[in-house]
Amino acid sequence: MKANRSLFLILIWILGGNLYGQNENDSRIDIAIPFLTITSDAVAGGLGEQGIATPVDMFSQQWNPAKYNYSEFSYGVGSSYTPYLSQLVKDIFLGNINVFGRINDRSIWAASLRYFSWGKFEKTDLIQNTILELGTEHPNELAVDFSYALEMGQDFSLSVTGRFISSDLKIGSDANPNAAISFGADVSGFHQGEWKRWGQNLVLWRYGFRISNLGPKIKYDGRKSRSYFIPTNLGLGGGMDLRLETENTLGFYAELNKLLVPTSNQCNYKNQNCQNIGFLEGITTSFSKPENQFKLISYAIGTAFSFKNQFTLRAGYFGESQIKGPRRYFTVGTGIQRKNLRVDLSYLFVASSVPTPLDNTLRISASWLWD
């Protein structure tokens, strides 16, 4: 990949300052480490990119680790692959590895690694009409998570997650700029009821919440003293499964998400500069006027049909207001399970006039679970 293209993509993604919102003077939300907001697995990817209150799966670590307490398996390992900007380049991707294990009847631990590669580019400089080659860079970002989930009762589970974040983009003015580092924490909860009679069928309800990426702002070398919020987020979800026959299930799920990061308007409303407030104050500021809070919420809906717990079809939709951004797209997916092995695929296509970096993207996930 050419140097100018890679550097352009990095600067637009990280430092463009308009990741969410349509106008620099109103609802712009500046965040760093946006790869944490990318859906990395094909299960959630097929349901409109949601997973807070969907059935437990191998990749619940990225959505709601409290769900692991309701897994029929005691251990699991899985990985997934998501191409990014695949319409432009072939070497930018998000990879993910998950593991979990049961401690006892009430508690489970889980860990994951998310790695975002920006590919490679050649560094060059022009001196006296001579192009000098300065080597090859491989900018990347990663997050390492560890979570603990505890069942608080028969139908409810809580989890806490700690996260180490590194962004090694090589964009500083120094010859060897250091990677930007931050930390984050998640708190999530999950309720899953029992199967109950509903007409001629059985129904099971689920509810969940997640507050994610609670942590300090991050700074990059070469950007003076400017700091960026990490994508702190509040998510709420709900869903139901209908058991149509003995082994067939039809599910319906919905999820709402709001970034707990202030817009430029909200900082100005409180006579503050977003650069001068910390992440805790940023959370409270994100709920202040003059923004319409409902327009800062993204939503996802999805449905899934499971045939004898061996073959699954999924479909979903993700949307947000024009104020927040242009992301509106449909997703479809499928999954095949054979004994302890499961493979899932999902595909995304846009539903707006503005393309997204994940347009026409095929995700793939594989997992192995056992007792």
Side-chain angles (χ1 to χ4, degrees):
M1 184 167 59
K2 294 182 180 180
N4 58 348
R5 177 180 294 181
S6 290
L7 186 57
F8 173 77
L9 292 173
I10 292 171
L11 291 175
I12 288 295
W13 181 246
I14 299 298
L15 303 176
N18 197 22
L19 300 178
Y20 297 89
Q22 299 298 300
N23 190 310
E24 183 175 321
N25 297 316
D26 48 58
S27 299
R28 177 168 51 95
I29 302 178
D30 290 334
I31 62 170
I33 324 294
F35 85 95
L36 292 177
T37 67
I38 302 174
T39 298
S40 60
D41 67 280
V43 179
L47 291 171
E49 302 199 333
Q50 62 170 314
I52 292 178
T54 56
V56 59
D57 60 75
M58 183 63 239
F59 304 97
S60 296
Q61 172 77 343
Q62 271 70 57
W63 296 97
N64 191 343
K67 297 196 300 183
Y68 282 126
N69 271 316
Y70 298 91
S71 175
E72 60 180 303
F73 299 98
S74 298
Y75 304 93
V77 59
S79 63
S80 61
Y81 176 81
T82 300
Y84 198 76
L85 289 169
S86 59
Q87 303 300 302
L88 296 177
V89 293
K90 302 300 181 184
D91 56 354
I92 299 180
F93 68 89
L94 173 62
N96 179 33
I97 298 175
N98 276 37
V99 295
F100 80 88
R102 185 170 293 279
I103 301 173
N104 52 47
D105 291 340
R106 296 183 56 209
S107 59
I108 280 183
W109 65 269
S112 68
L113 167 67
R114 277 175 287 178
Y115 178 81
F116 191 89
S117 172
W118 283 102
K120 69 177 182 178
F121 67 92
E122 304 294 332
K123 293 175 63 177
T124 61
D125 198 359
L126 180 63
I127 300 178
Q128 296 181 351
N129 296 324
T130 301
I131 298 178
L132 300 179
E133 295 185 0
L134 303 179
T136 302
E137 294 291 357
H138 298 267
N140 63 82
E141 298 175 291
L142 64 87
V144 180
D145 298 1
F146 185 85
S147 65
Y148 173 80
L150 177 65
E151 191 171 5
M152 307 299 292
Q154 183 178 1
D155 300 330
F156 186 72
S157 176
L158 279 175
S159 69
V160 292
T161 302
R163 176 171 301 110
F164 169 78
I165 305 167
S166 173
S167 181
D168 191 10
L169 297 179
K170 306 294 186 185
I171 56 179
S173 58
D174 297 334
N176 294 293
N178 297 321
I181 292 174
S182 187
F183 299 88
D186 300 356
V187 179
S188 59
F190 182 66
H191 163 84
Q192 178 170 295
E194 302 289 337
W195 288 101
K196 296 182 179 180
R197 178 66 58 181
W198 194 37
Q200 297 181 347
N201 302 309
L202 295 175
V203 63
L204 182 148
W205 293 92
R206 298 183 180 88
Y207 308 99
F209 74 89
R210 181 185 65 158
I211 303 174
S212 58
N213 298 316
L214 289 164
K217 298 166 76 173
I218 193 169
K219 295 182 180 180
Y220 291 88
D221 287 348
R223 297 294 296 177
K224 298 181 180 180
S225 61
R226 185 175 184 185
S227 59
Y228 299 85
F229 290 100
I230 65 175
T232 306
N233 186 82
L234 170 63
L236 302 173
M240 61 174 292
D241 282 352
L242 286 173
R243 183 164 289 172
L244 304 178
E245 298 176 8
T246 304
E247 299 179 87
N248 298 335
T249 304
L250 178 63
F252 302 93
Y253 317 102
E255 185 173 305
L256 302 175
N257 282 277
K258 181 188 184 303
L259 277 174
L260 303 181
V261 178
T263 67
S264 299
N265 264 348
Q266 290 170 326
C267 291
N268 294 335
Y269 176 77
K270 299 189 71 174
N271 295 319
Q272 292 178 310
N273 186 328
C274 287
Q275 283 295 306
N276 298 330
I277 64 176
F279 80 95
L280 288 176
E281 187 177 1
I283 292 174
T284 59
T285 304
S286 71
F287 288 97
S288 66
K289 296 179 180 179
E291 301 293 3
N292 184 332
Q293 294 296 322
F294 290 103
K295 291 187 176 182
L296 296 178
I297 296 175
S298 62
Y299 60 92
I301 56 174
T303 184
F305 175 77
S306 177
F307 177 73
K308 294 186 176 180
N309 203 31
Q310 296 179 355
F311 178 72
T312 305
L313 292 174
R314 306 182 183 96
Y317 177 80
F318 180 96
E320 62 185 1
S321 72
Q322 294 284 351
I323 286 180
K324 188 175 181 184
R327 297 178 301 168
R328 283 172 290 279
Y329 41 77
F330 293 98
T331 66
V332 293
T334 186
I336 300 175
Q337 182 168 331
R338 179 64 177 173
K339 295 183 179 179
N340 294 21
L341 177 65
R342 184 176 189 92
V343 177
D344 295 280
L345 300 171
S346 69
Y347 186 79
L348 181 152
F349 50 96
V350 298
S352 69
S353 59
V354 180
T356 72
L358 290 171
D359 189 19
N360 298 321
T361 294
L362 179 67
R363 295 182 178 94
I364 182 170
S365 300
S367 53
W368 178 265
L369 304 104
W370 68 94
D371 292 319

